[in-house]
Amino acid sequence: SHAYGTSTDGVYLHTRSDGKLFNLARLRSKTKVRTVLIREMLFADDAALAAHTVAALQRLSNCFGTACQQFGLTVSLDKTCVCAQGVSTPPAITMDNVLLKTVDSFTYLGSTVTNTLSLDTELDKRLGKANTTMARLTQRVWENRALTLHTKVQVYQACVLSVLLYGSETWSTYVRQEHRLNAFHMRCLRRILGITWRDKVPNSAILQRANIQSIYSI
């Protein structure tokens, strides 16, 4: 409130905490509906400003920069970027008379946000990181005969699945994207069990042996 004062710039959200979560008709009610103004999202020393127009975003940036100066804080302009969605020309936003760079995507709280709202970029990174983690544990865990299958699956869930599904609570996935995640999941389980496609073992049997659910059910 100190930084933005009485500014009405930002993104307005209509919320309702009672009733069924996905019953959109309840949001059209004139009672029990709250309107929340979202201007900034803060986490540790990171901040993300949100607005509907270029002019509004510029005003929020000016207010934010002024407040930082008053408290003796410095904004890293090299790490500050602008990502616009649904625009034909890149927006020109300045801070301290410096034009901020415009990007197609950026990482916030470990997740990738794109200007197309597509989840494919984030899934590519999640799959890549999970695959790297899987490869690093090959000799120490997956090929270690001293470890039981139960222990290997527990390590897989803690080290690989956690990386793969990081931030998945906020995902809105398509069927093809869920297929990609589940295909990777099954390949990892087959590798842990030492079963190849030549063995002709169905996925249902793999899940039963590993005592784990598919990605669709997790």
Side-chain angles (χ1 to χ4, degrees):
S1 59
H2 174 82
Y4 306 106
T6 59
S7 173
T8 57
D9 296 322
V11 177
Y12 285 91
L13 299 179
H14 297 280
T15 65
R16 181 169 178 166
S17 57
D18 67 322
K20 295 182 179 180
L21 179 61
F22 296 105
N23 188 354
L24 300 182
R26 300 180 70 88
L27 291 177
R28 292 192 288 269
S29 173
K30 295 182 179 180
T31 60
K32 298 182 180 181
V33 176
R34 293 189 306 132
T35 300
V36 182
L37 176 60
I38 304 297
R39 287 181 296 217
E40 60 181 355
M41 293 164 281
L42 304 177
F43 182 81
D45 59 346
D46 290 334
L49 305 181
H52 283 298
T53 65
V54 176
L57 183 58
Q58 182 63 69
R59 289 192 293 267
L60 291 179
S61 300
N62 294 339
C63 293
F64 183 79
T66 301
C68 289
Q69 291 178 354
Q70 292 175 350
F71 285 92
L73 302 175
T74 302
V75 178
S76 177
L77 299 180
D78 293 335
K79 297 180 180 180
T80 304
C81 58
V82 180
C83 183
Q85 298 171 342
V87 297
S88 55
T89 58
I93 304 296
T94 61
M95 183 174 289
D96 292 339
N97 296 322
V98 176
L99 182 63
L100 302 179
K101 61 182 178 181
T102 303
V103 297
D104 295 332
S105 64
F106 66 94
T107 302
Y108 183 68
L109 302 184
S111 298
T112 304
V113 181
T114 66
N115 60 351
T116 61
L117 295 179
S118 174
L119 192 61
D120 290 332
T121 303
E122 172 66 5
L123 289 184
D124 290 340
K125 292 187 177 182
R126 290 288 113 211
L127 288 168
K129 292 180 179 180
N131 190 52
T132 299
T133 303
M134 189 75 184
R136 289 178 177 176
L137 296 174
T138 299
Q139 294 183 347
R140 181 166 296 184
V141 180
W142 317 135
E143 296 180 356
N144 190 343
R145 297 184 178 180
L147 298 179
T148 63
L149 175 60
H150 176 73
T151 300
K152 293 180 180 181
V153 173
Q154 291 295 314
V155 172
Y156 169 72
Q157 289 178 308
C159 298
V160 181
L161 269 187
S162 61
V163 173
L164 178 66
L165 300 179
Y166 175 81
S168 59
E169 297 87 353
T170 62
W171 293 354
S172 296
T173 56
Y174 292 102
V175 174
R176 61 176 178 81
Q177 294 169 335
E178 294 177 357
H179 285 342
R180 289 186 61 193
L181 294 171
N182 194 65
F184 174 82
H185 179 51
M186 297 309 305
R187 285 198 304 269
C188 291
L189 293 179
R190 288 177 180 273
R191 184 175 181 182
I192 294 173
L193 295 172
I195 298 175
T196 66
W197 63 272
R198 297 185 182 89
D199 299 321
K200 298 182 179 180
V201 180
N203 288 341
S204 58
I206 297 295
L207 296 173
Q208 185 176 6
R209 293 186 189 183
N211 193 23
I212 193 174
Q213 296 177 321
S214 67
I215 288 293
Y216 308 112
S217 303
I218 295 179

